[in-house]
């Protein structure tokens, strides 16, 4: 399916709405104002999934995932690089924010914090997609893991791995950059349905 | 028929707003960034301006400052995905008449628009 | 209505569950309040039905709760509220007054009508688990604190030790310089002395000066003891390092044996060899053998000289014993003791001296040294 600039614009806006909501919640949890930026959206076919890896590398991420099923089905991830994960944990648990951090694995309590933040971000984005596109989905509960991008993509069932939507967002808490990546991985049919819904709304086409 | 200027970088979002407002007999004109929006506000003198916050090439906050500096008194309604109280307070301080959150709800936008258009002009 | 029927089914089984369950609609009106949450909160299901949850629990009327609940109502994924970040979703106390710590999940109520969405709030009591986590965390923090304090104390001791070493080395150096002056002038005085009594007195002065010098030399060596970490030494290498100059040959049968010891171990063998040269009259050779035993490795160092008299066997290891400095074997025993190695004299007078080392298990290796 050919994706054009206005499809990307629609998805960007849906992600934007979701991230805005998530930032509002995080702002209350951290007691700090959060500055937002416009998310960057890219879409890859299964054949192009190698490009994602060459583009964003093979570093280990803190990954929060959940499955969704319905008019479109697949898996969604929120990924935080270690540096951003540390800033988030410090900001939420009220630790002193500092630039240098020990290279230690996350404790189960820290993972619990990251899981909740990831849950907030996924809910923002998936919530805005289903709400604006008026699509009913059912979801699994969120889970937490630490892995690199190839492993995360491999985790998704083959038939749900035909299209990858990558949204890269940046939020700033006290001038510290928190980088979050949202991956929505779907089957080709599901992806077409999603784009079709976006077009129905953005091109004055009545559903 | 009141004319509404919609300033939002997302054509997707502008279409949603336009559809909602055209159904309610408003006329809509559009701009995809703050700078262009400012030019259109001066040239077209719309009745109400709806502005997004996060935009390239003059964002919503800069736009609010700019129309204040230019002495333009057209009521402005901010429609943003940013739900932080701090952001709302800043917009209202910069002269915005109303502050609404995305996703847009028809049942919120239309009454807010009518209220802004009332002769007293208070939201 | 379908929803009502669904809720009555929910009532039947959810009252038996040990989790709190509450169902609310789009306007946050309570439709269902199970028995467990009724017990915890003290409000019955009948009392709660029809009430607005956010009015009853105003903390829930903040973005971090309300926006997230509304997202689920709008069709978003489940929201999970970790007990680590939100102590209680619905604050309620146990009989002992302790606040229940809750882990909460908010999911769309599966039976709900799409036009009138509801969410189900599932609350688990994790108070016990939370207390365990907290006490483990406290223990860990305490342990980390203690380690930090110990490190500080160690640093302070290191500094103090360095200062003392510096002081003693400077003092030693100064005294040795003065002894050289004494030595020089004694030489002149001895040449000039014509009176035998005077010469005898000068002899005493020289002997005393030499004792002072030896004490200082010992002092310097003793200070090195235990400064460096013990390490592995191959017996062969140590023995080869002794420069025998063909005076008294050494025969060793300890190939492949390594022992774990203070780096001053070299001095041990050097001292034993020096002693043999000085005191083992008529000795022709030195034999070194190793014998594993139940108490560890026994290393025997023996010569065929005059041997050590029975009464002196323990005395020779005391400071001040002997004709020379009286420091050699004392130091030898101290060096070995650092890694638990003992040394005793077990020879027979007239047949030769025999030093027996006992190296504990784990402090020696036989075979290819790693």
């Amino acid at each position: 399916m050919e994706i054009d600039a206005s499809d990307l614009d629609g998805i960007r806006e849906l992600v934007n709405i979701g991230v805005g909501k998530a930032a509002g919640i995080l702002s209350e949890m951290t007691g700090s104002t959060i500055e937002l930026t416009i998310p960057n959206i890219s879409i890859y076919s299964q054949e192009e999934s190698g490009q994602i890896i060459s583009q964003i590398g093979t570093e280990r991420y803190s990954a929060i995932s959940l499955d969704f099923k319905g008019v479109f089905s697949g898996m969604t991830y929120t990924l935080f690089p270690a540096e951003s994960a540390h800033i988030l944990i410090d900001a939420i648990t009220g630790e002193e924010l500092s630039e240098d951090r020990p290279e230690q694995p996350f404790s189960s309590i820290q993972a619990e914090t990251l899981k909740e933040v990831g849950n907030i971000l996924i809910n923002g984005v998936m919530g805005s997609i289903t709400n604006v596109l008026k699509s009913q989905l059912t979801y699994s509960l969120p889970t937490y893991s630490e892995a690199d991008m190839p492993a995360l993509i491999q985790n998704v069932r083959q038939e749900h791995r035909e299209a990858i939507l990558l949204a890269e967002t940046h939020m700033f808490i006290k001038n510290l950059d928190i980088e979050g990546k949202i991956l929505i991985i779907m089957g080709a049919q599901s992806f077409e349905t999603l784009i079709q819904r976006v077009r129905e709304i953005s091109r004055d086409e009545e559903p | 028929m009141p004319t509404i200027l919609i300033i939002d970088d997302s054509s997707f979002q502008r279409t949603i707003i336009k559809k909602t407002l055209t159904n309610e007999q408003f006329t809509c004109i559009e701009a995809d960034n703050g700078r262009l929006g400012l030019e259109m506000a001066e040239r077209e003198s719309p009745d109400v301006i709806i502005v997004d916050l996060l935009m390239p090439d003059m964002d919503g906050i800069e736009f609010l400052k700019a129309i204040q500096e230019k002495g333009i008194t057209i009521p402005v309604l901010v429609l943003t995905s940013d739900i932080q109280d701090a952001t709302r307070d800043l917009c209202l301080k910069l002269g915005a008449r109303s502050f609404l959150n995305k996703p847009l709800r028809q049942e919120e936008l239309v009454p807010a628009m009518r209220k802004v258009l009332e002769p007293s002009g208070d939201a | 209505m379908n929803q009502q029927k669904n809720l009555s089914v929910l009532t039947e089984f959810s009252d038996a569950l040990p989790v709190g369950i509450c169902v609310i609609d789009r306007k946050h009106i309570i439709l269902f309040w199970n028995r467990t949450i009724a017990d915890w909160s003290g409000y019955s299901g009948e009392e709660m039905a029809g009430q607005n949850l956010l009015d009853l629990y105003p903390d829930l009327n903040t973005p971090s709760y309300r926006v997230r609940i509304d997202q689920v109502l709008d069709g978003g994924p489940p929201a999970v509220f970790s007990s680590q970040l939100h102590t209680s979703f619905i604050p309620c106390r146990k009989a002992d007054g302790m606040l229940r710590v809750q882990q909460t999940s908010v999911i769309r109520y599966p039976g709900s009508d799409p036009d009138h969405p509801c969410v189900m709030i599932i609350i688990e009591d994790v108070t016990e688990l939370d207390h365990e986590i907290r006490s483990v965390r406290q223990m860990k923090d305490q342990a980390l604190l203690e380690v930090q304090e110990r490190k500080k104390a160690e640093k302070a001791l290191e500094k103090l030790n360095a200062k003392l070493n510096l002081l003693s080395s400077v003092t030693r150096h100064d005294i040795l310089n003065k002894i050289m002056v004494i030595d020089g002038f004694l030489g002149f005085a001895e040449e000039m002395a014509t009176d035998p009594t005077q010469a005898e007195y000068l002899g005493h002065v020289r002997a005393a000066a030499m004792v002072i010098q030896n004490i200082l030399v010992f002092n310097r060596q003793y200070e090195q003891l235990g400064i460096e970490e013990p390490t592995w030494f191959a017996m062969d290498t140590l023995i080869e390092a002794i420069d025998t100059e063909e005076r008294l040959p050494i025969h060793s049968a300890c190939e492949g044996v390594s022992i774990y010891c203070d780096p001053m171990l070299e001095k041990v063998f050097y001292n034993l060899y020096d002693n043999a040269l000085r005191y083992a009259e008529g000795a022709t050779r030195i034999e070194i053998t190793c014998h594993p035993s139940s108490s560890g490795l026994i290393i025997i160092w023996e010569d065929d000289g005059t041997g050590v008299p029975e009464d002196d066997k323990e005395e020779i290891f005391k400071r001040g014993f002997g004709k020379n400095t009286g420091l050699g074997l004392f130091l030898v025993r101290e060096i070995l003791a650092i890694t638990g190695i003992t040394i005793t004299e077990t020879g027979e007078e007239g047949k030769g001296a025999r030093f027996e080392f006992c190296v504990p298990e784990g402090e020696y290796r036989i075979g290819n040294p790693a």
Side-chain angles (χ1 to χ4, degrees), chain A residues 11-137:
Chain A
I11 291 169
R12 185 181 304 113
E13 182 65 7
L14 294 173
V15 171
N16 204 9
I17 294 172
V19 173
K21 283 238 159 133
I25 296 163
L26 290 176
S27 155
E28 191 207 320
M29 287 171 78
T30 57
S32 307
T33 307
I34 294 179
E35 266 181 74
L36 293 167
T37 56
I38 300 169
N40 186 33
I41 307 289
S42 34
I43 288 167
Y44 303 86
S45 65
Q46 190 173 11
E47 297 76 50
E48 294 165 332
S49 68
Q51 283 179 24
I52 300 192
I53 293 157
S54 61
Q55 189 187 326
I56 65 181
T58 52
E59 72 173 294
R60 266 176 94 74
Y61 288 94
S62 287
I64 299 86
S65 62
L66 54 81
D67 287 335
F68 54 90
K69 265 197 208 104
V71 285
F72 33 90
S73 304
M75 169 100 106
T76 175
Y77 284 110
T78 300
L79 310 179
F80 298 112
E83 181 68 19
S84 298
H86 275 293
I87 299 175
L88 273 170
I89 292 167
D90 289 353
I92 289 171
T93 55
E95 303 272 321
E96 191 78 14
L97 293 183
S98 69
E99 297 273 2
D100 42 276
R101 277 155 240 286
E103 279 192 26
Q104 282 168 355
F106 293 109
S107 70
S108 58
I109 293 163
Q110 291 174 317
E112 193 76 359
T113 302
L114 291 173
K115 182 168 130 183
E116 181 145 336
V117 178
N119 183 215
I120 290 170
L121 215 52
I122 287 180
N123 286 20
V125 173
M126 292 308 290
S128 102
I129 290 175
T130 49
N131 183 257
V132 176
L133 303 183
K134 298 185 173 47
S135 316
Q136 279 249 17
L137 300 178

Side-chain angles (χ1 to χ4, degrees), chain C residues 25-292:
Chain C
D25 70 7
R26 190 76 195 74
K27 295 196 162 101
H28 314 116
I29 302 298
I30 299 169
L31 303 179
F32 179 74
W33 190 256
N34 84 335
R35 190 181 292 163
T36 306
I37 195 169
D39 286 346
W40 291 348
S41 65
Y43 299 117
S44 71
E46 292 76 31
E47 277 176 276
M48 294 303 266
Q51 305 253 32
N52 187 311
L53 182 72
L54 306 195
D55 290 347
L56 293 171
Y57 297 97
D59 281 353
L60 299 180
N61 208 355
T62 51
S64 63
Y65 291 101
R66 195 194 58 241
V67 172
R68 296 184 65 192
I69 296 170
D70 287 351
Q71 276 177 346
V72 181
L73 281 163
D74 285 343
V80 176
F81 296 84
S82 161
S83 62
Q84 298 302 319
L85 302 178
H86 318 260
T87 313
S88 297
F89 194 88
I90 302 281
C92 31
R93 293 188 183 276
K94 300 178 94 153
D96 58 7
M98 188 112 69
L99 197 64
R100 280 182 198 275
V101 180
Q102 299 166 343
Q103 175 88 14
T104 306
S105 306
V106 178
I107 63 172
R108 192 117 70 98
Y109 180 50
S112 67
D113 167 354
D115 295 331
H116 301 94
C118 307
V119 294
M120 180 150 73
I121 300 166
I122 303 165
I123 305 172
E124 287 170 79
D125 184 330
V126 293
T127 314
E128 298 297 319
L129 182 70
D130 182 72
H131 287 176
E132 268 173 47
I133 290 173
R134 272 168 217 279
S135 74
V136 167
R137 197 168 2 171
Q138 232 168 20
M139 269 156 56
K140 190 178 141 204
D141 288 350
Q142 183 66 32
L144 280 176
L145 203 70
E146 279 168 20
V147 168
Q148 269 173 0
E149 273 175 13
R150 192 173 312 158
K151 276 194 180 149
K152 255 191 226 160
E154 275 172 13
K155 269 221 172 107
L157 275 177
E158 261 171 38
K159 257 193 185 162
L160 185 65
N161 209 13
K163 264 189 194 166
L164 284 174
N165 280 345
L166 184 67
L167 177 68
S168 95
S169 109
V170 168
T171 311
R172 217 164 33 223
H173 183 257
D174 289 353
I175 297 175
L176 282 169
N177 273 347
K178 295 299 170 202
I179 286 178
M180 273 172 64
V181 175
I182 292 174
D183 186 48
F185 283 103
L186 262 179
F188 298 144
E190 278 165 345
E191 275 171 28
M192 288 163 67
T194 45
D195 178 0
T197 318
Q198 198 182 12
E200 188 200 329
Y201 289 170
L202 287 173
H204 288 315
V205 172
R206 176 173 292 284
M210 287 307 108
V211 170
I212 294 175
Q213 192 176 22
N214 285 332
I215 289 172
L216 293 177
V217 170
F218 170 78
N219 182 281
R220 182 168 55 205
Q221 290 185 341
Y222 195 76
E223 211 174 67
Q224 297 304 312
L225 253 191
I227 280 191
E228 281 177 53
E229 285 290 303
T231 179
W232 289 95
F233 290 93
M235 289 280 292
D236 293 338
T237 321
L238 289 168
I239 291 156
E240 276 164 25
I242 301 171
D243 184 10
T244 59
E245 290 172 15
E246 294 173 10
R247 288 171 295 189
L248 192 56
I250 301 178
H251 297 279
S252 165
C254 295
E255 287 88 27
V257 173
S258 300
I259 57 178
Y260 188 67
C261 193
D262 187 276
M264 285 180 79
L265 182 63
E266 285 176 20
K267 290 228 174 345
V268 168
F269 290 104
Y270 176 77
N271 252 292
L272 289 179
Y273 188 73
D274 190 51
N275 273 348
L277 288 181
R278 283 177 201 276
Y279 310 117
E281 281 169 34
T284 60
R285 56 195 272 123
I286 287 170
E287 289 284 345
I288 306 172
T289 50
C290 294
H291 316 269

